[in-house]
């Protein structure tokens, strides 16, 4: 199953409403970061390099909901850090669902099996689990052995309890089209509802690590890998990332060049709204 029809209909109605109101730029997705602290030190992320004073901060439930209401977007992507470290993350999700927001909770899945009972399966909730390739590639990317197996086990546990599950993958400059195709076959074989793929771009953070991206590499190797993704899973449109649904379904991302970022202050942690120019 790809994106639920109810989600497509709700987002479509929201877009039509903005058109009728004459609004040219409006948010489709709120990127909510309730904390920066994480239980991994992934090669492509610098969040844990923040000072302790920042890493120890947590957004409150009230501020998280306030950001969602201020933004108005129908979809909320909860990232981090690792959201499941937040002691009130289940309350944040519950309150967002009460407001009929479609929530994508991004997680490395190390804590997911332990905390599954804190959540209730819903068409409004999707666990977006981080996998950067098959076992060797993913464990290398997150700089810790055994993470891939825990993530795969968490996917199985979540699906068994009736949750929607997506895989969120980053393609680094060492990715190949053949390797990406194998990974997409493996991921779809896990029974996930979709795959989100993003190419890595150059950053000055963690330059000494083995897995880092260059400014130009994603245009070649990642582009080839994304082409393989399209061939494997059907039509999709590439922007900064592409969303690949299960075989037989289709997700259309925002058209190229149509996205801008707007900042929303949400207490002690940032929330970013992605706005689409129509």
């Amino acid at each position: 199953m790809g994106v639920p029809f109810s989600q497509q209909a709700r987002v479509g109605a929201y877009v039509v409403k903005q058109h009728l109101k004459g609004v040219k730029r409006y948010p489709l997705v709120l990127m909510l970061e309730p904390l920066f602290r994480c239980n991994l030190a992934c090669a492509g992320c610098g969040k844990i390099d923040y000072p302790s004073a920042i890493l120890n901060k947590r957004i409150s439930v009230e501020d998280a909901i306030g950001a969602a209401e201020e933004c108005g977007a129908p979809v909320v992507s909860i990232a981090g850090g690792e959201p499941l470290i937040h002691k009130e993350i289940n309350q944040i999700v519950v309150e967002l669902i009460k407001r009929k927001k479609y929530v994508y909770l991004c997680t490395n899945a190390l804590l997911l099996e332990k905390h599954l009972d804190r959540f209730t399966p819903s068409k409004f909730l999707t666990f977006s689990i981080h996998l950067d390739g098959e076992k060797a590639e993913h464990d290398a990317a997150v700089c810790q052995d055994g993470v891939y197996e825990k993530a795969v086990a968490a996917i199985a546990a979540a699906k068994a309890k009736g949750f929607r599950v997506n895989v969120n993958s980053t393609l680094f400059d060492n990715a190949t089209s053949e390797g990406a195709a194998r990974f997409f076959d493996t991921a779809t074989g896990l029974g996930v509802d979709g795959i989100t793929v993003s190419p890595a771009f150059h950053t000055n953070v963690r330059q000494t690590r083995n897995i880092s991206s260059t400014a130009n590499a994603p245009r070649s190797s990642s582009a080839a890998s994304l082409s393989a993704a399209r061939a494997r899973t059907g039509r999709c449109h590439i922007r900064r990332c592409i969303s690949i649904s299960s075989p037989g379904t289709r997700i259309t991302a925002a058209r190229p060049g149509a996205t801008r970022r707007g900042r929303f202050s949400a207490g002690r942690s940032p929330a970013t709204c992605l706005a689409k120019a129509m």
Side-chain angles (χ1 to χ4, degrees):
M1 176 173 69
V3 175
F5 175 77
S6 60
Q7 181 176 342
Q8 297 179 44
R10 192 170 190 84
V11 173
Y14 169 81
V15 170
V16 171
K17 181 179 179 180
Q18 304 308 311
H19 273 286
L20 294 176
K21 291 168 62 177
V23 180
K24 292 184 178 181
R25 294 183 180 273
Y26 49 87
L28 285 178
V29 180
L30 169 68
M31 305 296 293
L32 182 67
E33 295 180 323
L35 79 171
F36 282 167
R37 187 172 292 281
C38 190
N39 49 2
L40 285 176
C42 299
C45 179
K47 292 289 180 65
I48 64 167
D49 288 338
Y50 281 99
S52 296
I54 299 297
L55 294 177
N56 290 334
K57 290 182 177 180
R58 303 287 186 273
I59 195 172
S60 67
V61 176
E62 293 76 15
D63 284 341
I65 301 308
E69 292 180 338
E70 179 186 357
C71 176
V75 180
V76 179
S77 177
I78 303 179
E82 171 50 52
L84 292 179
I85 294 177
H86 197 298
K87 293 182 179 180
E88 297 176 307
I89 190 61
N90 59 319
Q91 297 176 41
I92 292 174
V93 170
V94 166
E95 291 300 322
L96 289 172
I97 290 177
K98 282 183 181 179
R99 290 158 176 80
K100 299 188 184 301
K101 303 292 185 181
Y102 286 89
V103 179
Y104 286 78
L105 197 158
C106 306
T107 174
N108 57 38
L110 290 179
L111 299 173
L112 184 55
E113 284 192 85
K114 177 181 177 181
H115 293 296
L116 268 180
D117 290 340
R118 299 171 65 192
F119 301 92
T120 302
S122 168
K123 67 180 181 181
F124 290 101
L125 173 61
T126 300
F127 289 114
S128 183
I129 295 180
H130 178 207
L131 280 183
D132 284 340
E134 297 187 274
K135 185 178 185 303
E137 291 82 4
H138 181 66
D139 286 353
V142 301
C143 305
Q144 184 172 316
D145 292 336
V147 176
Y148 177 86
E149 292 178 349
K150 291 180 180 178
V152 168
I155 290 173
K159 291 298 296 180
K161 291 193 174 185
F163 288 97
R164 286 180 45 80
V165 179
N166 280 4
V167 164
N168 179 23
S169 179
T170 302
L171 296 181
F172 294 91
D173 61 349
N174 59 351
T176 65
S177 57
E178 294 81 6
R182 287 195 302 271
F183 168 64
F184 296 139
D185 284 342
T186 299
T188 53
L190 297 174
V192 298
D193 298 284
I195 307 171
T196 300
V197 184
S198 301
F201 289 92
H202 178 71
T203 175
N204 290 327
V205 179
R206 306 188 189 286
Q207 287 182 332
T208 58
R209 299 225 172 167
N210 290 331
I211 299 182
S212 61
S213 59
T214 63
N216 296 322
R219 301 188 179 208
S220 54
S221 58
S222 292
S225 299
L226 295 178
S227 296
R230 291 203 303 274
R232 289 276 170 172
T233 56
R235 297 177 58 192
C236 59
H237 300 280
I238 298 177
R239 186 172 48 87
R240 291 181 183 174
C241 65
I242 60 172
S243 294
I244 305 170
S245 61
S246 301
T249 62
R250 184 181 74 179
I251 302 175
T252 302
R255 66 179 183 272
T259 299
R260 66 178 180 87
R261 290 181 181 270
R263 300 302 298 183
F264 281 76
S265 176
R268 295 176 294 177
S269 187
T272 302
C273 241
L274 299 183
K276 178 181 176 183
M278 302 301 296

